[in-house]
Amino acid sequence: MRFDLTDLRLFRHIAETGSITHGAERSHLALASASARIRGMEEMLDVPLLQRGRRGVRLTAAGRSLLDHARIVLQQVDAMRGDLSAYSRGLKGSVRVLANTAALSEHLPRLLADFLAASPTIDLDLEDRESPAIAAAVAAGDADIGIASQAALAAGLESHSFRPDRLVVIAPAGHRLARRRQVSFTELLELDFVGLPRGTALDGHLAMQAARLGRMLRLRVRVSSLDAVCAMVAAGVGAAIVPEATARRQRRGLPLALVRLAEPWANRELMLCVRDSKRLSRPAKRLFDALRS
């Protein structure tokens, strides 16, 4: 079928007025052109769409079905036109943001909720990535804004301090680690662990650190969120490494011990990064300014 939008609008106008003549007038078409279009539609479908009479036209069963579909298509086109018009005026936009697990779970929810409430015409595409992948994606222009560990940032990116992001060890309150102030990552590799799903930024980061020692984490269970990790640890399933902000928040309601991790890579600084803040789209610049403030 090769109906165009003019055909569908014409048919809708004819159905609404009960007249090919009046439908043609509404569609700003000559009567002969309108009649030819209707005949072409009927020939293409091989079924009559209108019953013609002295007092006008009536829709056949096929015509009523076509009218239903025409209305849906035309409504979608009108909605599309409205959305794109808003984009063209800079009033609406979508911003792609990449963040590591700590930023995504602890720092961004409240900030983004406030921003979205104040910016109803801006949508966000938010994804959890490891810090090196975030830096690479922002540098390549595949993301507007990134929030990543400072150590992973590539030269040439514009970056601004966002939040401290220390990683700590958590264990059940009665665990032998609870008496320690600090523990090395090598010691932890002898313990059972609770972790996040494969592919999350923190899971990848810890797996990489273990691989550098020629080891693997003994993961007994993977759960979907940092809060679930803390709940599993408090229940005695194993130990875990989580952002300090998560551990302190969860310790208020769960029997958790918090122990510092001795490795330098545990002391991180989260950075807000972009290619060039002056060249961001208007929606992306609004979000960038909100996150900086």
Side-chain angles (χ1 to χ4, degrees), residues 3 28 68 73 188:
F3 299 166
H28 307 290
D68 290 340
V73 170
L188 295 176

Side-chain angles (χ1 to χ4, degrees), residues 28-276:
H28 307 290
L29 294 171
L31 178 58
S33 176
S35 297
R37 282 180 176 270
I38 296 298
R39 284 196 303 271
M41 293 168 72
E42 291 177 322
E43 290 172 0
M44 192 179 303
L45 291 170
D46 195 25
V47 65
L49 299 173
L50 301 173
Q51 291 179 343
R52 295 159 175 83
R54 292 183 178 179
R55 297 184 178 180
V57 296
R58 291 189 302 167
L59 299 184
T60 64
R64 288 193 294 272
S65 179
L66 175 61
L67 178 61
D68 290 340
H69 289 290
R71 283 173 170 160
I72 292 171
V73 170
L74 293 172
Q75 286 170 358
Q76 289 295 319
V77 170
D78 288 342
M80 178 185 70
R81 181 181 293 110
D83 280 351
L84 295 180
S85 176
Y87 279 110
S88 70
R89 298 196 305 273
L91 300 177
K92 186 169 184 176
S94 179
V95 184
R96 180 163 170 73
V97 182
L98 303 181
N100 70 1
T101 305
L104 196 59
S105 62
E106 289 301 317
H107 305 299
L108 287 179
R110 177 61 62 84
L111 291 172
L112 294 183
D114 292 343
F115 174 80
L116 290 170
S119 309
T121 60
I122 298 177
D123 301 326
L124 300 183
D125 178 4
L126 184 60
E127 187 176 340
D128 184 335
R129 293 272 191 94
E130 293 184 52
S131 290
I134 292 170
V138 172
D142 294 332
D144 300 300
I145 297 172
I147 300 177
S149 176
Q150 184 178 29
L153 297 187
L157 287 180
E158 179 184 336
S159 62
H160 305 270
S161 181
F162 182 64
R163 295 287 190 279
D165 181 37
R166 184 196 305 272
L167 293 176
V168 298
V169 181
I170 56 171
H175 196 277
R176 60 182 175 83
L177 285 179
R179 300 187 295 272
R180 302 278 298 276
R181 295 186 61 185
Q182 184 169 283
V183 63
S184 71
F185 187 57
T186 304
E187 293 178 76
L188 295 176
L189 295 176
E190 305 300 326
L191 303 177
D192 291 335
F193 258 77
V194 179
L196 291 170
R198 291 182 178 86
T200 54
L202 182 56
D203 177 72
H205 180 62
L206 296 178
M208 179 181 66
Q209 298 302 332
R212 286 176 174 174
L213 299 174
R215 305 282 296 279
M216 293 179 62
L217 291 176
R218 290 166 44 180
L219 278 162
R220 295 300 310 279
V221 61
R222 294 180 183 272
V223 292
S224 61
S225 68
L226 287 171
D227 287 354
V229 168
C230 294
M232 284 288 184
V233 170
V237 174
I241 295 176
V242 300
E244 185 175 23
T246 301
R248 293 193 179 281
R249 174 172 56 81
Q250 286 292 321
R251 192 170 61 171
R252 292 196 291 266
L254 294 173
L256 292 171
L258 189 156
V259 185
R260 287 200 170 191
L261 191 57
E263 272 62 29
W265 52 258
N267 299 313
R268 309 185 298 178
E269 180 77 16
L270 287 180
M271 305 295 289
L272 184 66
C273 60
V274 295
R275 294 178 76 181
D276 184 349

